[in-house]
Amino acid sequence: MDDDRALAGELATAAGRLLLDIRANSGLAGKELGDAGDQRSNELLIRRLAEERPDDAVLSEESADDKSRLSAARVWIVDPVDGTREYGKGDRADWAVHVALWSSADGGGLIAGAVALPALGVTYVDDPGPVPPTTGLASSPKGDRPRVVVSSSRPPAFSQPVADAIGGEVLSMGSAGAKAMAVVRGEADAYVHSGGQYEWDSAAPVAVAQAKGLWCGRIDGSPLVYNRDDTYLPDLVICRPELTEQIIAVTAAG
């Protein structure tokens, strides 16, 4: 698994460097930049996985879904650019590259994952090592109150009730990976989401967050399940373990 973890980190980092080069040198902006980044990052990840793990299946946001993955022993779940809109703006740091590995062993689960934050020059992998509190994703320094990060484009209706339940405040941010890593990095205490996500949005962030000791699950408290026929996985909670009960009491009620 260490080799898989190292490969996940290497691929996420390499894709991130490519994306930075495209953003700096292509002359593109907005949707055109986002589309170019998605395509070329996906090409890199698919090519490298074919070279490095030819017997494994791949599920990518930017490739056709080959259903043979459902009977595969190992499936890489990748998002070549998570937060394409933020990436396309050129001056945003809240976008990411996701690379995760799912295995059918022991009933199925994530066994490796990496999230690159290319604009910050850092990649997080699913090792248990501590992460020193840092800044760079949030628009303002974190105060004493707990902070709940939510989607800037699709904030859930329970955003403020969750913040109220833990005596905190709400902060909007792009990219599921960036929001999850804001919790990993200590810039936030919880990330809650409802609606509009797929397996590639959360697989790598969840692998990393779980390894760092955070609680990850669905808004009703049930586990997150990957490599399903239907890749839609609409909701997610990632939080400090001691906040789980208070948060799920709100999110499970709708």
Side-chain angles (χ1 to χ4, degrees), residues 2-119:
D2 286 346
D3 287 346
D4 290 327
R5 178 182 296 143
L7 179 60
E10 177 188 343
L11 294 184
T13 301
R17 289 174 179 159
L18 173 64
L19 288 163
L20 289 173
D21 179 69
I22 295 168
R23 191 160 77 162
N25 299 310
S26 67
L28 300 174
K31 187 177 186 303
E32 289 186 344
L33 174 58
D35 289 346
D38 267 331
Q39 178 182 347
R40 291 183 57 187
S41 178
N42 190 60
E43 289 171 352
L44 182 152
L45 293 171
I46 296 298
R47 174 177 56 80
R48 288 290 308 278
L49 286 170
E51 294 169 352
E52 301 285 347
R53 299 291 189 271
D55 296 328
D56 293 353
V58 180
L59 171 63
S60 170
E61 180 180 16
E62 300 302 325
S63 296
D65 185 3
D66 183 347
K67 294 296 186 177
S68 65
R69 65 178 172 80
L70 296 172
S71 58
R74 290 160 46 102
V75 181
W76 292 87
I77 304 174
V78 303
D79 191 342
V81 184
D82 182 64
T84 307
R85 184 180 64 173
E86 288 75 21
Y87 170 72
K89 291 184 178 180
D91 60 350
R92 296 282 293 267
D94 51 343
W95 54 278
V97 178
H98 299 174
V99 179
L101 175 60
W102 176 93
S103 169
S104 64
D106 300 322
L110 299 170
I111 62 169
V115 177
L117 300 175

Side-chain angles (χ1 to χ4, degrees), residues 191-222:
Y191 163 34
V192 296
H193 184 82
S194 178
Q197 282 193 355
Y198 293 82
E199 291 189 14
W200 45 77
D201 291 304
S202 65
V206 164
V208 174
Q210 287 179 331
K212 302 301 184 183
L214 299 172
W215 187 87
C216 303
R218 299 198 63 176
I219 61 174
D220 62 359
S222 63

